[in-house]
Amino acid sequence: YDWHTTVRGDVAWSNMWNDGILTVEGQNPQYMRWAESGVLVRQPDGRWLIDRYHSTFLERQDQPFAD
């Protein structure tokens, strides 16, 4: 959610927030939130290919939408 994409010529970059629940047998489920970002480059044939991708877990106090 909170997805943002910018395109400048043949380069695009996006960032977003993702969340989920981690369930490990024998433990309480744990809510997690992380930031993801990527850089894409348009190829001469018009296809967009991912050049860089990054995902970062944030501690709860560092999350902008922590409730």
Side-chain angles (χ1 to χ4, degrees):
Y1 51 92
D2 200 31
W3 189 285
H4 298 280
T5 300
T6 302
V7 178
R8 298 279 162 82
D10 291 334
V11 178
W13 56 96
S14 290
N15 62 291
M16 64 172 280
W17 291 100
N18 206 342
D19 60 10
I21 298 174
L22 174 65
T23 305
V24 177
E25 189 175 338
Q27 297 180 17
N28 291 329
Q30 181 180 0
Y31 175 78
M32 300 176 72
R33 180 175 286 147
W34 61 96
E36 296 183 321
S37 60
V39 177
L40 294 89
V41 178
R42 186 180 358 228
Q43 303 301 295
D45 64 5
R47 294 177 304 137
W48 287 92
L49 296 181
I50 297 172
D51 186 69
R52 304 272 190 281
Y53 181 82
H54 183 73
S55 183
T56 301
F57 173 75
L58 296 177
E59 296 295 336
R60 188 162 188 79
Q61 69 271 10
D62 297 326
Q63 298 173 6
F65 307 109
D67 39 22

